[in-house]
Amino acid sequence: MIDSRASLARTLSAYIQRTIPPEWADAIPMLLEQRDRVLRLVSSGAHVYGFSTELGHLDQRETPASSESLLHAHLVGPGTELDVELTSLIAACKAEQLHHGHSGASIEAFNGVLDLVQSPIPLAGAWGASYGSGDVVPGAWWAKAVPVALRAGDTIALINGHFFSTGIAIGVSARASDTIARLVSELEPVTQVNVVPYDCENVPGYRNLATL
């Protein structure tokens, strides 16, 4: 069972300090072994969704070894800028998700996500776009920034899951928490109430997230 509080603390710590938690690094042997198992299954002729097939209603079609075409098929909608702070925070959410395993992502893709945690860049994409499939469209725009050549299965591993909306939610919550704390502080002589951002005080190197 995943400890959600530990996951949140690890994700925030990685984002705030721009460092890689030991748990993420320790997961690499497991990720390599799982990747090898999936590739052996593909080599046996099995159809593995997103690895040897296209996605969605086209999953009966075979796909080339490169995942680039699958990624570009999801780059739809008009582009707007995404702050570098959110780029890093979203990357930290994706790294936390991937390090638990069961995605089949290549180590190159995993390391590319870790690079984006530490050295984020500003992005443009359709962050509010969707066709009813959750994060996959904004996730694809974000994954476009991962600095590696995508291999078989990497597209589905990078865009799948609710990492994008989770990163946005954490950023918005942090900003709201700081705003509330500031407003209450201004009213403190009347209310005598202190508000501390949830759990952030326990994260090493905590800094104000209100700029998100």
Side-chain angles (χ1 to χ4, degrees), residues 64-73 75 144 146 148-151 155:
S66 170
S67 282
E68 298 289 345
S69 60
L70 293 180
L71 179 68
H72 285 284
L75 300 179
K144 186 172 180 285
V146 177
V148 296
L150 299 182
R151 293 161 171 78
T155 289

Side-chain angles (χ1 to χ4, degrees), residues 17-85:
Q17 299 183 71
R18 296 290 198 267
T19 57
I20 303 305
E23 293 88 347
W24 294 357
D26 291 345
I28 288 178
M30 174 192 68
L31 299 179
L32 283 168
E33 193 274 333
Q34 291 182 354
R35 172 75 177 178
D36 181 64
R37 273 193 287 168
V38 174
L39 293 183
R40 281 190 278 116
L41 186 61
V42 171
S43 296
S44 73
H47 285 262
V48 180
Y49 185 75
F51 284 76
S52 60
T53 73
E54 296 193 19
L55 305 180
H57 66 286
L58 301 178
D59 63 352
Q60 296 303 310
R61 296 184 185 178
E62 293 187 356
T63 188
S66 170
S67 282
E68 298 289 345
S69 60
L70 293 180
L71 179 68
H72 285 284
H74 290 81
L75 300 179
V76 298
T80 57
E81 290 295 321
L82 185 68
D83 181 274
V84 292
E85 295 295 316

Side-chain angles (χ1 to χ4, degrees), residues 90-195:
I90 291 165
C93 290
K94 171 51 76 171
E96 175 64 21
Q97 175 200 358
L98 290 177
H99 103 279
H100 289 288
H102 309 294
S103 73
S106 69
I107 291 303
E108 290 81 6
F110 182 62
N111 286 333
V113 173
L114 300 186
D115 288 343
L116 208 54
V117 173
Q118 299 177 94
S119 303
I121 59 175
L123 299 177
W127 310 116
S130 177
Y131 55 85
S133 298
D135 282 7
V136 295
V137 171
W141 282 104
W142 171 86
K144 186 172 180 285
V146 177
V148 296
L150 299 182
R151 293 161 171 78
D154 282 344
T155 289
I156 187 63
L158 289 177
I159 71 176
N160 196 35
H162 293 288
F163 70 99
F164 184 86
S165 54
T166 299
I168 295 296
I170 292 173
V172 170
S173 297
R175 181 174 183 178
S177 182
D178 281 333
T179 300
I180 292 170
R182 187 168 59 251
L183 291 173
V184 171
S185 177
E186 293 172 358
L187 297 172
E188 203 168 46
V190 176
T191 62
Q192 295 297 308
V193 174
N194 288 310
V195 176

